[in-house]
Amino acid sequence: MKVVIIKYNAGNIQSVLFALERIGVKAIVTDNAEEINTADKVIFPGVGEASSAMQYLKERKLDQVIISLQQPVLGICLGMQLLCSHSEEADTTCLNVFEKVKVRKFIAPNNELKIPQIGWNTISHLRSNLFNNIPENSFCYFVHGYYAEETLEKISTTNYIQTYSSALQHNNFYGVQFHPEKSAKVGEQLLKNFLAL
Amino acid sequence: MLTKRIIPCLDIKDGRTVKGTNFIALRDAGDPVELAMRYCEEGADELVFLDITATTEKRKTLAKLVREIATHINIPFTVGGGIHTIEDVSLLLEHGADKISINTSAVNNPILIDQLSRNFGSQCIVVAVDTKRINNRWTVVTHGGRNPTDRITSEWAKEITARGAGEILLTSMENDGTKSGFAIDITNEIATSVSIPVIASGGAGTMEHFSAIFQHGKADAALAASIFHFKEIHIPDLKNYLFENKIPVRC
C-alpha cells in the first residue's frame, strides 16, 4: 500500500511520519502531483497559518491536486480546516471540499479558558468507520485556536467554549481537528482505521 | 471537557536523565527514552525534556536523542535547553519535537519569541520563566536561579504572551526540589492574567499539591520530575486522586 503525506509549508509532518512508522507503515512525504495521485491513501497534515498555507498550495497547484483526489484522504488539524470552505484566520478562502463549512476563531469569555485550546479533550457522537474500535468520549490531543462549526458532515463533536465539529467526512475526504499522531493508543487506532478504509 | 495535564519532566545531561535540588547536586534517574515510554504507558499527558547543561555549557541539545524519543513515544513532547536561534528550533522540530522551550535566550533577546512564533507558529513555542521572590517581588531569574534580572514576573508573562508565545512554563526556584508544594500565589496571578496556558512547575511532593495548583493556582498543567522518576507518585494513582477531587483529567 502506498501512503503519501502531502509536503507543504506546515509543521509537524515528521510527527505523522513517525506515528505511521510506529504502526509499521512506511509513508512517502512529497509535493509531487504524480506521486500524490497514485497513492492508495493520502494524509494532509499540518500545524500553521491558513492563508500562507493556502497560498503555498496554490502556487504549486496542489490545491487542484487535492480536491480531485478519489482515494481516501485524511486532513489533520490545519489540513482539515483547509478542506473547509472558509477560515476566519486571515479571511482565507479554502478548498471547499467540506462545502459551506466555516472555520471560526475561538473567543474566550475570560482568561480561565485559554486560546489556543491545548491538551486532551473528548470526542463524542462518533459516526464513521474512522472510529471503529474507538469508544465514545475517548480522549484525543488538540492544539488549535480556530474550529469548524457544527455541520451535517460532522462525524464527531467536541466541546470547548462551544460544541464544534472535531471530525468531518464528505465522500472519500475525512478530516480530524485533533492530532491522531499524538493521541496515544486512540490515535494509533484511528490511523489504522484510516489505512484500512 | 478539556482536561488538566500532568507532565513529567526529564532533565537530561549527557544523554541521561538526572534530577537535582535547585538544579545542582545531580542524581542519575535513568535512560530518558525508557523513562519516556514508561510515562506514556502510565498515562502522562505530555513530556518535557530539558538539556540542563546546555545553557551553562553552551552546548546544543542533542537532536539525535530527540529523534530517538520521537520514534518511540505517541504523546506530545517539548524540548528545551540552549536554544538561541531559528536554526536551533528548525533542527529540533525536524527531528520530531512537537514544541520547543526557550528561557534565558528569551530574557536576553525577547524579539526571539516574535521570530519563532512567526516562523513556526505560537503552538510550538513554550517560554519558560524561572522566578524567585526578591525584595518580596516575584522576579525573573536565569541560569537555574543564580542570576536575578530586573524583570517583574507578571509583567514579563504579559510581554511574552503579546510577543506570540503559545504557553508559559512557570517554575518557582524557591519551591523547585523542595517537595513542599507549588507556588500557588504567583501561578494564580499569572494564569488569571494571560490568555495562554500556564504550566506550573517546582515543588510537587504530594498528590494534594497537584489538586491545589489546579484548584487554587488555576494552572492548566502541572510539571514534576523526581517524584515520578523515583516512583514516589504513580501517575495512574495521581489521576484517580484528581478525578475523585473533581478535577478534569484524562484517565
Side-chain angles (χ1 to χ4, degrees):
Chain A
M1 181 168 55
K2 181 173 172 184
V3 181
V4 156
I5 299 171
I6 297 177
K7 181 179 162 187
Y8 68 116
N9 62 335
N12 121 305
I13 285 170
Q14 288 297 329
S15 301
V16 177
L17 194 66
F18 290 140
L20 292 172
E21 267 176 32
R22 281 195 295 274
I23 58 171
V25 176
K26 200 104 189 117
I28 303 161
V29 180
T30 181
D31 56 4
N32 178 288
E34 171 75 23
E35 289 271 36
I36 297 169
N37 283 326
T38 56
D40 298 300
K41 301 285 186 313
V42 177
I43 298 179
F44 181 35
V47 168
E49 196 275 323
S51 67
S52 57
M54 271 308 296
Q55 194 188 338
Y56 184 99
L57 294 173
K58 278 185 191 162
E59 280 166 7
R60 287 156 185 79
K61 299 195 164 45
L62 284 170
D63 56 333
Q64 293 307 313
V65 174
I66 292 167
I67 59 172
S68 44
L69 291 171
Q70 304 291 314
Q71 61 275 60
V73 178
L74 178 64
I76 297 173
C77 195
L78 179 64
M80 180 196 93
Q81 295 185 357
L82 294 177
L83 292 171
C84 294
S85 65
H86 178 269
S87 173
E88 286 184 358
E89 190 172 19
D91 191 16
T92 304
T93 301
C94 301
L95 297 166
N96 201 32
V97 167
F98 302 128
E99 284 173 39
K100 294 181 186 160
V101 180
K102 295 217 165 34
V103 176
R104 302 191 184 282
K105 190 179 189 352
F106 278 129
I107 308 287
N110 58 54
N111 269 336
E112 277 192 43
L113 286 165
K114 306 295 186 174
I115 295 171
Q117 171 178 224
I118 300 182
W120 298 80
N121 203 335
T122 47
I123 51 171
S124 310
H125 306 103
L126 306 181
R127 185 173 62 85
S128 165
N129 290 342
L130 200 59
F131 297 113
N132 282 346
N133 298 314
I134 295 177
E136 259 309 285
N137 302 321
S138 288
F139 282 102
C140 290
Y141 189 80
F142 290 82
V143 183
H144 61 127
Y146 294 79
Y147 65 94
E149 60 188 5
E150 268 203 279
T151 154
L152 288 174
E153 288 168 320
K154 68 176 186 273
I155 51 173
S156 88
T157 63
T158 293
N159 191 281
Y160 188 67
I161 303 174
Q162 69 274 301
T163 301
Y164 63 93
S165 302
S166 48
L168 294 164
Q169 183 193 349
H170 180 77
N171 299 332
N172 57 317
F173 287 90
Y174 297 77
V176 290
Q177 179 60 64
F178 50 89
H179 288 275
E181 73 280 12
K182 288 289 160 183
S183 293
K185 295 213 162 77
V186 171
E188 284 176 4
Q189 183 64 49
L190 186 139
L191 290 174
K192 284 180 192 164
N193 292 343
F194 173 69
L195 297 176
L197 287 172
Chain B
M1 185 185 234
L2 181 66
T3 54
K4 300 290 187 182
R5 288 170 280 157
I6 300 297
I7 308 179
C9 176
L10 290 79
D11 291 337
I12 308 290
K13 182 174 187 281
D14 306 326
R16 300 283 296 174
T17 311
V18 292
K19 182 59 197 175
T21 303
N22 294 328
F23 281 8
I24 48 170
L26 305 168
R27 271 203 290 172
D28 194 316
D31 171 38
V33 179
E34 204 175 283
L35 252 185
M37 288 170 72
R38 190 184 100 200
Y39 291 139
C40 276
E41 284 297 313
E42 291 179 353
D45 297 307
E46 282 187 47
L47 297 171
V48 169
F49 297 85
L50 290 180
D51 189 338
I52 57 172
T53 50
T55 303
T56 42
E57 296 176 14
K58 311 285 178 215
R59 194 169 49 80
K60 304 285 178 193
T61 305
L62 290 174
K64 208 176 127 196
L65 179 62
V66 172
R67 167 65 55 106
E68 185 71 6
I69 295 159
T71 52
H72 285 89
I73 73 161
N74 56 15
I75 59 171
F77 70 98
T78 302
V79 180
I83 297 168
H84 299 285
T85 64
I86 288 175
E87 291 70 35
D88 293 342
V89 175
S90 260
L91 183 72
L92 293 169
L93 295 179
E94 275 165 26
H95 281 74
D98 296 291
K99 312 178 196 180
I100 60 88
S101 161
I102 52 172
N103 187 342
T104 310
S105 55
V107 175
N108 292 342
N109 177 27
I111 203 157
L112 180 65
I113 304 167
D114 306 66
Q115 291 168 342
L116 295 180
S117 64
R118 248 200 327 270
N119 269 273
F120 305 103
S122 289
Q123 81 292 330
C124 67
I125 310 302
V126 179
V127 178
V129 177
D130 292 346
T131 184
K132 202 164 151 177
R133 250 182 308 224
I134 298 174
N135 299 328
N136 225 17
R137 301 200 76 173
W138 284 99
T139 305
V140 179
V141 295
T142 61
H143 295 87
R146 288 193 302 275
N147 300 0
T149 70
D150 54 8
R151 293 179 188 279
I152 299 304
T153 305
S154 57
E155 288 164 14
W156 178 229
K158 284 178 191 148
E159 180 178 341
I160 60 189
T161 304
R163 288 183 180 278
E167 284 176 280
I168 293 174
L169 168 54
L170 182 71
T171 304
S172 163
M173 299 312 294
E174 292 180 13
N175 302 58
D176 194 49
T178 63
K179 296 190 188 171
S180 60
F182 294 94
I184 290 175
D185 58 342
I186 186 63
T187 307
N188 179 290
E189 189 185 339
I190 303 300
T192 55
S193 66
V194 298
S195 58
I196 59 175
V198 172
I199 305 163
S201 156
T206 66
M207 297 202 268
E208 290 80 1
H209 293 156
F210 285 90
S211 58
I213 197 61
F214 292 134
Q215 276 169 341
H216 307 303
K218 307 289 179 194
D220 300 283
L223 177 143
S226 59
I227 51 157
F228 297 136
H229 303 335
F230 299 111
K231 304 187 184 177
E232 289 161 34
I233 291 181
H234 190 47
I235 292 170
D237 297 341
L238 174 60
K239 292 267 186 105
N240 280 335
Y241 171 85
L242 293 172
F243 181 77
E244 281 165 9
N245 283 276
K246 311 256 184 304
I247 294 167
V249 286
R250 162 182 167 251
C251 288

